[in-house]
Amino acid sequence: MRHADTIVAPITPPGVGAVASVRISGPEAFSIAREIFDGLPASPMTHHAYYGHFTHGDEGLMLVFQDGHGYTGEPAVEAMIHGSPASVRLLVEAALGAGARMAEPGEFTLRAFLNGTMDLSQAEAVRDTVEAQTDLQLRFANAQRSGALRSSVRAMRAQLLAALAAVEAHVDFEEELGPLDRGMVQDVADHVAREIEGWLSTERAGQVVRHGLRIALIGEPNAGKSSLLNALLGRDRAIVTPIAGTTRDTIEESVILGGIPCVLIDTAGLRETDDPIEVLGVARAQAAAANADAVWYLHDATRTPTPTPDCDLLLLTKADLVSPDAPVESGLSISAVTGQGLNRLHAWVAAQAEVAPDRACLIDARHAPLLRLALTGLNLVESTIEHDLPDDLLSVGLREAHAHLGEVIGENAAADMLTSIFSSFCIGK
Ligand SMILES: Nc1nc2c(ncn2[C@@H]2O[C@H](COP(=O)(O)OP(=O)(O)OP(=O)(O)O)[C@@H](O)[C@H]2O)c(=O)[nH]1
Ligand SMILES: [Mg+2]
Protein backbone atom coordinates (compact mmCIF):
# COMPACT_ATOMS: atom_id res chain seq x y z
CA MET A 1 0.00 0.00 0.00
CA ARG A 2 1.33 3.48 -0.89
CA HIS A 3 0.54 6.35 1.43
CA ALA A 4 -0.24 9.76 0.00
CA ASP A 5 1.06 11.83 2.88
CA THR A 6 4.40 12.15 4.59
CA ILE A 7 4.58 11.93 8.38
CA VAL A 8 7.08 13.21 10.94
CA ALA A 9 7.78 12.57 14.64
CA PRO A 10 10.66 12.41 17.11
CA ILE A 11 11.73 8.77 17.56
CA THR A 12 13.79 9.37 20.69
CA PRO A 13 12.19 10.13 24.06
CA PRO A 14 11.43 13.73 25.08
CA GLY A 15 13.93 15.48 27.31
CA VAL A 16 17.60 16.37 27.19
CA GLY A 17 20.13 13.95 25.71
CA ALA A 18 23.36 13.87 23.71
CA VAL A 19 21.51 13.08 20.50
CA ALA A 20 17.89 13.10 19.39
CA SER A 21 16.38 11.66 16.24
CA VAL A 22 13.39 12.69 14.13
CA ARG A 23 11.93 10.44 11.43
CA ILE A 24 10.22 11.67 8.25
CA SER A 25 8.49 8.92 6.23
CA GLY A 26 6.40 8.98 3.06
CA PRO A 27 6.57 9.92 -0.63
CA GLU A 28 7.83 13.48 0.05
CA ALA A 29 10.43 12.45 2.67
CA PHE A 30 13.44 13.39 0.51
CA SER A 31 12.03 16.66 -0.85
CA ILE A 32 11.04 17.77 2.67
CA ALA A 33 14.50 16.74 3.92
CA ARG A 34 16.10 18.91 1.24
CA GLU A 35 14.03 21.94 2.30
CA ILE A 36 15.18 21.70 5.91
CA PHE A 37 18.71 20.31 5.47
CA ASP A 38 21.58 21.22 3.12
CA GLY A 39 23.58 17.97 3.09
CA LEU A 40 21.48 15.63 0.95
CA PRO A 41 22.92 14.86 -2.54
CA ALA A 42 20.72 14.55 -5.65
CA SER A 43 20.62 10.74 -5.45
CA PRO A 44 21.20 9.75 -1.82
CA MET A 45 22.07 6.13 -1.20
CA THR A 46 19.95 3.97 1.05
CA HIS A 47 21.33 3.21 4.53
CA HIS A 48 23.84 6.07 4.22
CA ALA A 49 24.34 9.02 6.56
CA TYR A 50 24.97 12.56 5.24
CA TYR A 51 26.36 15.42 7.27
CA GLY A 52 24.97 18.95 6.93
CA HIS A 53 23.21 21.96 8.47
CA PHE A 54 19.52 22.21 9.31
CA THR A 55 17.60 25.38 8.53
CA HIS A 56 16.35 25.60 12.11
CA GLY A 57 19.92 26.19 13.29
CA ASP A 58 21.39 22.83 14.25
CA GLU A 59 23.85 20.55 12.46
CA GLY A 60 23.95 16.79 12.31
CA LEU A 61 23.38 13.70 10.20
CA MET A 62 20.59 12.58 7.91
CA LEU A 63 20.13 8.81 7.53
CA VAL A 64 18.55 7.79 4.25
CA PHE A 65 16.23 4.83 3.58
CA GLN A 66 15.11 4.39 0.00
CA ASP A 67 11.68 3.01 -0.96
CA GLY A 68 11.31 -0.62 0.15
CA HIS A 69 14.14 -0.36 2.68
CA GLY A 70 14.24 0.82 6.26
CA TYR A 71 11.68 0.47 9.00
CA THR A 72 8.54 1.74 7.30
CA GLY A 73 9.18 0.19 3.88
CA GLU A 74 8.70 3.58 2.13
CA PRO A 75 11.09 6.50 1.46
CA ALA A 76 12.25 7.81 4.81
CA VAL A 77 14.96 9.87 6.51
CA GLU A 78 16.05 10.00 10.12
CA ALA A 79 17.69 13.24 11.26
CA MET A 80 20.24 12.93 14.07
CA ILE A 81 20.60 16.25 15.83
CA HIS A 82 21.64 17.55 19.24
CA GLY A 83 19.34 16.18 21.91
CA SER A 84 17.89 19.53 22.87
CA PRO A 85 14.12 19.83 23.28
CA ALA A 86 14.23 23.15 21.39
CA SER A 87 16.17 21.70 18.45
CA VAL A 88 13.78 18.74 18.19
CA ARG A 89 10.72 21.00 18.32
CA LEU A 90 12.09 23.42 15.71
CA LEU A 91 13.08 20.59 13.37
CA VAL A 92 9.62 19.03 13.60
CA GLU A 93 8.04 22.45 12.97
CA ALA A 94 10.28 22.95 9.93
CA ALA A 95 9.22 19.56 8.53
CA LEU A 96 5.54 20.41 9.16
CA GLY A 97 6.08 23.73 7.38
CA ALA A 98 7.57 21.88 4.42
CA GLY A 99 4.45 19.72 4.05
CA ALA A 100 4.75 16.83 6.49
CA ARG A 101 2.01 15.90 8.96
CA MET A 102 2.53 14.88 12.60
CA ALA A 103 2.58 11.06 12.94
CA GLU A 104 -0.02 9.39 15.17
CA PRO A 105 1.19 6.99 17.90
CA GLY A 106 2.27 3.73 16.23
CA GLU A 107 1.83 5.15 12.73
CA PHE A 108 5.38 4.35 11.54
CA THR A 109 4.85 0.72 12.55
CA LEU A 110 1.36 0.70 11.04
CA ARG A 111 2.95 1.74 7.74
CA ALA A 112 5.61 -0.95 8.11
CA PHE A 113 2.79 -3.48 8.52
CA LEU A 114 0.68 -2.10 5.65
CA ASN A 115 3.78 -1.97 3.41
CA GLY A 116 4.44 -5.63 4.18
CA THR A 117 7.80 -5.29 5.93
CA MET A 118 6.33 -7.11 8.93
CA ASP A 119 3.17 -8.96 9.91
CA LEU A 120 0.90 -8.01 12.80
CA SER A 121 2.56 -10.36 15.31
CA GLN A 122 5.93 -8.75 14.51
CA ALA A 123 4.48 -5.25 14.79
CA GLU A 124 3.14 -6.15 18.24
CA ALA A 125 6.58 -7.53 19.11
CA VAL A 126 8.12 -4.14 18.20
CA ARG A 127 5.96 -2.58 20.91
CA ASP A 128 6.93 -5.36 23.34
CA THR A 129 10.61 -4.88 22.49
CA VAL A 130 10.65 -1.15 23.21
CA GLU A 131 8.65 -1.70 26.39
CA ALA A 132 10.82 -4.59 27.64
CA GLN A 133 12.13 -4.04 31.17
CA THR A 134 13.56 -7.48 31.93
CA ASP A 135 15.97 -9.75 30.04
CA LEU A 136 13.25 -12.36 29.49
CA GLN A 137 10.75 -9.81 28.16
CA LEU A 138 13.38 -8.73 25.66
CA ARG A 139 14.27 -12.31 24.69
CA PHE A 140 10.66 -13.33 24.03
CA ALA A 141 9.88 -10.08 22.20
CA ASN A 142 12.96 -10.57 20.02
CA ALA A 143 11.88 -14.11 19.12
CA GLN A 144 8.44 -12.89 18.07
CA ARG A 145 9.86 -9.90 16.20
CA SER A 146 12.18 -12.13 14.24
CA GLY A 147 9.09 -13.95 13.00
CA ALA A 148 8.87 -17.17 15.07
CA LEU A 149 5.09 -16.97 15.37
CA ARG A 150 4.68 -15.58 11.87
CA SER A 151 6.51 -18.42 10.11
CA SER A 152 4.74 -21.07 12.18
CA VAL A 153 1.34 -19.52 11.41
CA ARG A 154 2.13 -19.16 7.73
CA ALA A 155 3.21 -22.80 7.46
CA MET A 156 0.03 -23.94 9.21
CA ARG A 157 -2.12 -21.81 6.93
CA ALA A 158 -0.43 -23.18 3.82
CA GLN A 159 -1.19 -26.75 4.93
CA LEU A 160 -4.80 -25.88 5.75
CA LEU A 161 -5.21 -24.18 2.40
CA ALA A 162 -3.88 -27.21 0.52
CA ALA A 163 -6.29 -29.49 2.42
CA LEU A 164 -9.13 -27.03 1.80
CA ALA A 165 -8.40 -26.95 -1.93
CA ALA A 166 -8.53 -30.75 -2.08
CA VAL A 167 -11.81 -30.85 -0.13
CA GLU A 168 -13.47 -28.18 -2.28
CA ALA A 169 -12.33 -29.84 -5.50
CA HIS A 170 -13.99 -33.05 -4.37
CA VAL A 171 -17.16 -31.26 -3.31
CA ASP A 172 -17.42 -29.66 -6.78
CA PHE A 173 -16.16 -32.51 -8.96
CA GLU A 174 -16.93 -35.62 -6.98
CA GLU A 175 -17.78 -37.68 -10.05
CA GLU A 176 -14.54 -36.92 -11.88
CA LEU A 177 -12.22 -37.14 -8.85
CA GLY A 178 -13.71 -40.03 -6.88
CA PRO A 179 -13.90 -40.03 -3.08
CA LEU A 180 -11.81 -37.65 -0.97
CA ASP A 181 -8.69 -38.91 0.81
CA ARG A 182 -9.94 -38.13 4.32
CA GLY A 183 -6.78 -39.56 5.84
CA MET A 184 -4.81 -36.67 4.33
CA VAL A 185 -7.25 -34.10 5.78
CA GLN A 186 -7.10 -35.81 9.14
CA ASP A 187 -3.27 -35.71 9.10
CA VAL A 188 -3.22 -31.99 8.33
CA ALA A 189 -5.78 -31.24 11.05
CA ASP A 190 -3.83 -33.34 13.60
CA HIS A 191 -0.54 -31.77 12.70
CA VAL A 192 -1.82 -28.20 12.85
CA ALA A 193 -3.68 -28.89 16.10
CA ARG A 194 -0.47 -30.19 17.69
CA GLU A 195 1.44 -27.13 16.54
CA ILE A 196 -1.25 -24.82 17.99
CA GLU A 197 -1.25 -26.76 21.26
CA GLY A 198 2.53 -26.31 21.40
CA TRP A 199 2.02 -22.55 21.23
CA LEU A 200 -0.79 -22.58 23.78
CA SER A 201 1.41 -24.52 26.21
CA THR A 202 3.62 -21.41 26.39
CA GLU A 203 0.73 -19.08 27.19
CA ARG A 204 1.20 -19.05 30.95
CA ALA A 205 4.96 -18.55 30.71
CA GLY A 206 4.39 -15.69 28.28
CA GLN A 207 1.90 -14.03 30.60
CA VAL A 208 4.25 -14.44 33.56
CA VAL A 209 7.13 -12.89 31.62
CA ARG A 210 4.97 -10.05 30.36
CA HIS A 211 2.96 -9.16 33.46
CA GLY A 212 5.00 -10.77 36.24
CA LEU A 213 3.51 -12.60 39.22
CA ARG A 214 1.48 -11.43 42.18
CA ILE A 215 2.42 -13.68 45.07
CA ALA A 216 0.44 -13.67 48.33
CA LEU A 217 2.31 -14.66 51.51
CA ILE A 218 -0.28 -16.45 53.64
CA GLY A 219 -0.06 -18.30 56.95
CA GLU A 220 -0.74 -18.37 60.66
CA PRO A 221 0.30 -15.43 62.82
CA ASN A 222 4.05 -15.43 63.54
CA ALA A 223 4.79 -17.86 60.71
CA GLY A 224 7.41 -15.42 59.38
CA LYS A 225 5.57 -13.78 56.47
CA SER A 226 6.77 -10.25 57.12
CA SER A 227 10.29 -11.53 57.78
CA LEU A 228 10.29 -13.30 54.40
CA LEU A 229 9.01 -10.16 52.67
CA ASN A 230 11.86 -8.16 54.22
CA ALA A 231 14.45 -10.83 53.38
CA LEU A 232 13.41 -11.00 49.72
CA LEU A 233 13.32 -7.19 49.43
CA GLY A 234 16.66 -6.88 51.16
CA ARG A 235 15.33 -4.11 53.41
CA ASP A 236 13.33 -3.65 56.55
CA ARG A 237 9.93 -2.90 54.99
CA ALA A 238 7.34 -4.54 57.25
CA ILE A 239 7.19 -4.51 61.05
CA VAL A 240 8.37 -7.81 62.57
CA THR A 241 7.76 -8.68 66.22
CA PRO A 242 7.38 -11.90 68.23
CA ILE A 243 3.77 -10.85 68.93
CA ALA A 244 1.26 -12.90 66.97
CA GLY A 245 -0.97 -10.62 64.90
CA THR A 246 1.61 -7.91 64.14
CA THR A 247 0.61 -7.34 60.51
CA ARG A 248 -2.94 -6.08 59.99
CA ASP A 249 -3.11 -4.44 56.60
CA THR A 250 -1.77 -6.02 53.41
CA ILE A 251 1.62 -4.70 52.29
CA GLU A 252 2.53 -4.86 48.59
CA GLU A 253 6.07 -4.46 47.30
CA SER A 254 7.65 -5.02 43.87
CA VAL A 255 10.78 -7.10 43.50
CA ILE A 256 12.47 -9.07 40.72
CA LEU A 257 12.68 -12.76 41.61
CA GLY A 258 14.31 -15.21 39.20
CA GLY A 259 14.30 -12.52 36.52
CA ILE A 260 10.52 -12.04 36.79
CA PRO A 261 8.93 -8.83 38.09
CA CYS A 262 6.92 -9.89 41.12
CA VAL A 263 4.60 -8.18 43.56
CA LEU A 264 4.84 -9.74 47.02
CA ILE A 265 1.81 -9.28 49.26
CA ASP A 266 2.43 -9.63 52.98
CA THR A 267 -0.79 -10.32 54.88
CA ALA A 268 -2.27 -10.63 58.35
CA GLY A 269 -1.87 -14.08 59.92
CA LEU A 270 -4.96 -16.23 59.54
CA ARG A 271 -6.74 -17.01 62.82
CA GLU A 272 -10.08 -16.75 64.59
CA THR A 273 -10.12 -13.51 66.55
CA ASP A 274 -12.46 -11.05 68.25
CA ASP A 275 -10.24 -8.06 67.53
CA PRO A 276 -12.27 -6.05 64.97
CA ILE A 277 -9.12 -4.68 63.29
CA GLU A 278 -7.59 -8.11 62.93
CA VAL A 279 -10.87 -9.49 61.54
CA LEU A 280 -10.64 -6.93 58.75
CA GLY A 281 -6.96 -7.85 58.22
CA VAL A 282 -7.78 -11.55 57.89
CA ALA A 283 -10.50 -10.75 55.35
CA ARG A 284 -7.95 -8.75 53.35
CA ALA A 285 -5.49 -11.64 53.53
CA GLN A 286 -8.11 -14.00 52.13
CA ALA A 287 -8.96 -11.56 49.35
CA ALA A 288 -5.26 -11.17 48.53
CA ALA A 289 -4.89 -14.94 48.26
CA ALA A 290 -7.94 -15.18 46.00
CA ASN A 291 -6.67 -12.45 43.65
CA ALA A 292 -2.99 -13.45 43.50
CA ASP A 293 -1.39 -15.45 40.70
CA ALA A 294 0.33 -17.63 43.27
CA VAL A 295 -0.13 -18.33 46.98
CA TRP A 296 2.82 -19.22 49.19
CA TYR A 297 1.65 -20.77 52.45
CA LEU A 298 4.12 -20.29 55.29
CA HIS A 299 4.22 -22.71 58.22
CA ASP A 300 6.47 -22.25 61.25
CA ALA A 301 8.57 -25.44 61.18
CA THR A 302 9.21 -25.26 64.94
CA ARG A 303 5.51 -25.85 65.56
CA THR A 304 3.46 -28.99 65.02
CA PRO A 305 2.29 -29.37 61.44
CA THR A 306 -1.27 -28.24 60.67
CA PRO A 307 -3.35 -29.17 57.64
CA THR A 308 -2.09 -27.01 54.75
CA PRO A 309 -4.76 -25.08 52.88
CA ASP A 310 -4.80 -24.90 49.12
CA CYS A 311 -1.61 -23.19 47.90
CA ASP A 312 0.97 -23.19 45.12
CA LEU A 313 3.98 -23.60 47.37
CA LEU A 314 4.36 -24.69 51.00
CA LEU A 315 7.20 -22.97 52.86
CA LEU A 316 8.54 -24.31 56.17
CA THR A 317 9.98 -21.28 57.91
CA LYS A 318 12.63 -20.71 60.60
CA ALA A 319 14.75 -23.59 59.31
CA ASP A 320 17.64 -22.19 61.38
CA LEU A 321 15.74 -23.15 64.57
CA VAL A 322 15.01 -26.71 63.47
CA SER A 323 17.56 -29.44 64.22
CA PRO A 324 18.91 -30.96 61.02
CA ASP A 325 17.88 -34.39 62.39
CA ALA A 326 14.22 -33.46 62.73
CA PRO A 327 11.84 -35.36 60.39
CA VAL A 328 11.48 -33.44 57.12
CA GLU A 329 7.98 -32.42 56.13
CA SER A 330 7.15 -31.93 52.50
CA GLY A 331 7.67 -28.30 51.54
CA LEU A 332 10.54 -25.94 51.00
CA SER A 333 12.64 -25.15 54.10
CA ILE A 334 13.63 -21.52 54.36
CA SER A 335 15.07 -19.14 56.88
CA ALA A 336 14.62 -15.40 56.74
CA VAL A 337 17.48 -15.09 59.24
CA THR A 338 20.20 -17.12 57.47
CA GLY A 339 18.82 -16.78 53.92
CA GLN A 340 18.62 -20.56 53.55
CA GLY A 341 16.33 -21.63 50.70
CA LEU A 342 15.73 -18.11 49.33
CA ASN A 343 17.61 -18.98 46.13
CA ARG A 344 15.10 -21.80 45.64
CA LEU A 345 12.28 -19.25 45.79
CA HIS A 346 13.96 -17.39 42.95
CA ALA A 347 14.23 -20.68 41.06
CA TRP A 348 10.55 -21.46 41.72
CA VAL A 349 9.50 -18.13 40.19
CA ALA A 350 11.84 -18.57 37.22
CA ALA A 351 10.31 -22.00 36.59
CA GLN A 352 6.88 -20.39 36.16
CA ALA A 353 8.20 -18.74 33.00
CA GLU A 354 10.14 -21.70 31.70
CA VAL A 355 9.74 -22.90 28.13
CA ALA A 356 11.96 -25.24 26.13
CA PRO A 357 15.13 -23.36 25.08
CA ASP A 358 14.29 -23.56 21.37
CA ARG A 359 10.70 -22.39 21.86
CA ALA A 360 9.31 -18.96 21.32
CA CYS A 361 6.46 -17.97 23.56
CA LEU A 362 3.00 -16.42 23.23
CA ILE A 363 3.43 -13.01 24.82
CA ASP A 364 0.51 -11.00 23.47
CA ALA A 365 -2.85 -11.59 25.10
CA ARG A 366 -4.54 -11.22 21.69
CA HIS A 367 -3.04 -14.41 20.24
CA ALA A 368 -4.13 -17.27 22.52
CA PRO A 369 -7.91 -16.75 22.07
CA LEU A 370 -7.45 -16.72 18.27
CA LEU A 371 -5.43 -19.93 18.42
CA ARG A 372 -8.16 -21.52 20.53
CA LEU A 373 -10.77 -20.51 17.94
CA ALA A 374 -8.61 -22.09 15.24
CA LEU A 375 -8.54 -25.29 17.32
CA THR A 376 -12.35 -25.26 17.42
CA GLY A 377 -12.34 -25.31 13.62
CA LEU A 378 -9.97 -28.26 13.64
CA ASN A 379 -12.17 -30.07 16.15
CA LEU A 380 -15.03 -29.74 13.68
CA VAL A 381 -12.83 -31.33 11.02
CA GLU A 382 -11.96 -34.21 13.31
CA SER A 383 -15.52 -34.87 14.44
CA THR A 384 -16.72 -34.69 10.82
CA ILE A 385 -14.30 -37.45 9.93
CA GLU A 386 -15.04 -39.45 13.06
CA HIS A 387 -18.81 -39.41 12.48
CA ASP A 388 -18.55 -39.72 8.72
CA LEU A 389 -20.41 -36.46 8.03
CA PRO A 390 -20.48 -34.69 4.62
CA ASP A 391 -17.39 -33.08 3.09
CA ASP A 392 -18.74 -29.50 3.23
CA LEU A 393 -18.38 -29.59 7.01
CA LEU A 394 -14.68 -30.25 6.50
CA SER A 395 -14.49 -27.04 4.45
CA VAL A 396 -16.23 -25.08 7.18
CA GLY A 397 -13.79 -26.29 9.83
CA LEU A 398 -10.68 -25.79 7.71
CA ARG A 399 -11.82 -22.33 6.66
CA GLU A 400 -12.46 -21.33 10.25
CA ALA A 401 -9.02 -22.49 11.39
CA HIS A 402 -7.38 -20.77 8.41
CA ALA A 403 -9.19 -17.48 9.06
CA HIS A 404 -8.46 -17.34 12.79
CA LEU A 405 -4.78 -18.10 12.22
CA GLY A 406 -4.83 -15.29 9.66
CA GLU A 407 -6.00 -12.87 12.35
CA VAL A 408 -2.89 -13.63 14.40
CA ILE A 409 -0.65 -12.27 11.65
CA GLY A 410 -3.11 -9.56 10.58
CA GLU A 411 -4.28 -11.08 7.31
CA ASN A 412 -7.41 -9.19 6.16
CA ALA A 413 -7.32 -7.19 9.38
CA ALA A 414 -10.20 -4.76 9.82
CA ALA A 415 -9.30 -1.08 10.09
CA ASP A 416 -10.80 -0.64 13.56
CA MET A 417 -8.82 -3.59 14.90
CA LEU A 418 -5.61 -2.09 13.53
CA THR A 419 -6.47 1.27 15.06
CA SER A 420 -6.99 -0.29 18.46
CA ILE A 421 -3.74 -2.28 18.30
CA PHE A 422 -1.52 0.52 17.00
CA SER A 423 -2.95 3.17 19.29
CA SER A 424 -1.27 1.30 22.18
CA PHE A 425 2.10 2.28 20.69
CA CYS A 426 3.99 5.37 21.74
CA ILE A 427 4.56 8.44 19.55
CA GLY A 428 7.43 7.85 17.15
CA LYS A 429 7.01 4.08 17.01
N1 LIG B 1 15.04 -17.67 63.93
C1 LIG B 1 14.16 -17.22 63.06
N2 LIG B 1 13.16 -16.41 63.46
C2 LIG B 1 12.29 -15.95 62.55
C3 LIG B 1 12.40 -16.28 61.20
N3 LIG B 1 11.37 -15.70 60.51
C4 LIG B 1 10.67 -15.00 61.44
N4 LIG B 1 11.21 -15.16 62.66
C5 LIG B 1 10.73 -14.57 63.93
O1 LIG B 1 9.38 -14.96 64.10
C6 LIG B 1 8.62 -13.89 64.67
C7 LIG B 1 7.42 -13.55 63.77
O2 LIG B 1 7.92 -13.10 62.53
P1 LIG B 1 7.03 -12.22 61.54
O3 LIG B 1 7.80 -12.08 60.30
O4 LIG B 1 6.57 -10.99 62.20
O5 LIG B 1 5.80 -13.22 61.33
P2 LIG B 1 4.44 -12.91 60.55
O6 LIG B 1 4.03 -14.17 59.88
O7 LIG B 1 4.57 -11.72 59.70
O8 LIG B 1 3.46 -12.64 61.77
P3 LIG B 1 2.09 -11.79 61.78
O9 LIG B 1 2.34 -10.49 61.11
O10 LIG B 1 1.80 -11.64 63.24
O11 LIG B 1 1.06 -12.63 61.11
C8 LIG B 1 9.58 -12.73 64.82
O12 LIG B 1 10.07 -12.71 66.14
C9 LIG B 1 10.70 -13.06 63.86
O13 LIG B 1 11.93 -12.53 64.24
C10 LIG B 1 13.47 -17.15 60.78
O14 LIG B 1 13.64 -17.53 59.64
N5 LIG B 1 14.31 -17.57 61.75
MG1 LIG C 1 3.59 -9.95 59.68
Side-chain angles (χ1 to χ4, degrees), residues 221-227 240-242 244-247 269 318 320-321 335-337:
N222 259 352
K225 301 176 295 297
S226 302
S227 301
V240 168
T241 74
T246 302
T247 306
K318 311 187 188 179
D320 56 292
L321 298 180
S335 166
V337 170

Side-chain angles (χ1 to χ4, degrees), residues 110 113-114 120 124 366 407 410-424:
L110 175 62
F113 165 69
L114 293 172
L120 196 51
E124 289 167 311
R366 196 179 66 84
E407 286 179 62
E411 208 78 11
N412 302 323
D416 55 346
M417 182 180 96
L418 293 177
T419 309
S420 99
I421 290 172
F422 284 95
S423 62
S424 66

Side-chain angles (χ1 to χ4, degrees), residues 12-37:
T12 41
V16 175
V19 176
S21 187
V22 174
R23 182 186 285 139
I24 304 171
S25 182
E28 300 305 323
F30 297 155
S31 63
I32 291 172
R34 278 198 190 86
E35 272 192 51
I36 63 173
F37 176 74

